[in-house]
Amino acid sequence: MSDIRNEDLKTGTFDTWAVIKAKRAVAVNTVQVKVNHKAATRQAIIVSLRREGYTVETRAQWKAKEPPGSPKRDWDYHGIAIHHAGNSFSCEADSAEQLRKAERIDFEKFGHLSYHYAIGCDGLIYEALDIRNKGAHIAVGNTGVIGIVMLADLSVHGEAYKEEYHEKSLLGKMRGIFDWVPDKVDVVTDEPPEVQIKALFALVKALRTYFPITSLGGHREYQRLATHEGRACPGAYGMILVNMLRNDLKLGGPK
């Protein structure tokens, strides 16, 4: 049994049993069993999605890098933020490779993946950052918010400039030139395929089963609320998904 890791999850049901033998007038000693409910919840989310027919890869399965040091913890989630990976990502690429690319970018910035879950254009759902750890997907506003990233470019041509730079001073625009110039010349975008959309809806529904989620929004909405700064993320197509989720699941926006 030494080769079994804590991260490895069984996809079926779990059976537990106990036998108590008692004699007349003999006291029965009980044993208190402590359950790590956070670890159990993490596992239950993944197992419930697998039971619905979705492929979910844990961090151990896609061989995620372990962050150095002790990660910051988070748990009392009330919101979900939807992201897209950005204009250097594409549905044409392998989703696992796209996730590793996002991991390399995030490790340079934050020392760990910033999102809790990632969804490929092929419908695969990945456990990105352990749900027990605090994300880094929103500047000054991650506490209590689960981050989900769509591994695609869901913005339209010129959207980053419109949302992030057109109101800035000339100096501000010059500082962001390496961000918005590629966006101005980028004419390729990804319309999320049906399998990716279905996986997103299934994941959000699963998360609502285990957490009291009351709000859901795009990155740009959370960022405006936290810092009053503009963001293109999750793109025009991403915001369509946000509005679909809010309408269908009767969720409010960030507040």
Side-chain angles (χ1 to χ4, degrees):
M1 301 293 286
S2 61
D3 60 335
I4 296 179
R5 299 186 296 268
N6 290 335
E7 290 82 7
D8 292 335
L9 305 176
K10 183 178 178 182
T11 59
T13 58
F14 293 82
D15 298 319
T16 304
W17 63 91
V19 177
I20 298 178
K21 293 182 178 180
K23 295 181 180 178
R24 184 177 297 175
V26 176
V28 176
N29 293 324
T30 59
V31 178
Q32 183 179 22
V33 178
K34 294 183 178 179
V35 177
N36 184 335
H37 75 280
K38 293 182 179 180
T41 299
R42 167 190 169 268
Q43 176 174 303
I45 293 167
I46 294 171
V47 171
S48 67
L49 287 164
R50 287 174 173 170
R51 286 176 177 166
E52 292 292 323
Y54 294 93
T55 300
V56 184
E57 290 207 2
T58 65
R59 287 175 52 80
Q61 288 174 316
W62 67 269
K63 297 180 174 57
K65 291 173 59 178
E66 289 301 321
S70 300
K72 294 181 180 178
R73 298 293 188 177
D74 200 4
W75 189 252
D76 296 324
Y77 294 108
H78 55 79
I80 296 174
I82 306 299
H83 303 257
H84 77 146
N87 62 15
S88 64
F89 290 76
S90 171
C91 276
E92 299 298 321
D94 177 75
S95 63
E97 287 301 317
Q98 295 284 273
L99 180 57
R100 293 187 184 96
K101 178 179 177 180
E103 182 184 55
R104 290 193 297 271
I105 293 170
D106 282 0
F107 257 73
E108 291 181 3
K109 292 182 177 179
F110 313 113
H112 59 79
L113 262 166
S114 58
Y115 317 99
H116 294 98
Y117 298 97
I119 304 177
C121 295
D122 50 10
L124 266 65
I125 302 173
Y126 296 92
E127 179 189 35
L129 180 68
D130 192 309
I131 193 67
R132 292 167 289 186
N133 297 336
K134 181 180 287 191
H137 49 100
I138 305 168
V140 197
N142 292 285
T143 301
V145 181
I146 298 170
I148 301 174
V149 63
M150 308 290 272
L151 294 171
D153 174 12
L154 303 183
S155 63
V156 295
H157 175 60
E159 191 172 6
Y161 180 80
K162 175 184 175 183
E163 296 292 334
E164 300 183 28
Y165 296 103
H166 82 283
E167 293 180 351
K168 290 188 176 182
S169 65
L170 179 60
L171 179 60
K173 290 177 181 178
M174 292 304 295
R175 287 175 177 170
I177 193 169
F178 293 107
D179 294 321
W180 63 261
V181 166
D183 173 69
K184 293 286 282 185
V185 299
D186 180 26
V187 295
V188 178
T189 190
D190 296 315
E191 186 173 345
E194 185 178 1
V195 290
Q196 190 181 32
I197 295 172
K198 286 183 175 180
L200 173 63
F201 270 72
L203 175 56
V204 172
K205 288 178 181 178
L207 293 170
R208 289 189 72 202
T209 301
Y210 297 99
F211 298 102
I213 302 298
T214 58
S215 61
L216 181 143
H219 180 190
R220 65 175 63 170
E221 295 177 302
Y222 277 101
Q223 201 61 63
R224 286 282 187 188
L225 189 65
T227 64
H228 305 291
E229 294 179 353
R231 286 289 186 276
C233 181
Y237 286 117
M239 286 306 300
I240 290 173
L241 295 178
V242 166
N243 289 317
M244 288 170 58
L245 283 162
R246 282 205 288 246
N247 291 334
D248 288 2
L249 303 180
K250 303 299 187 291
L251 290 168
K255 57 182 180 181

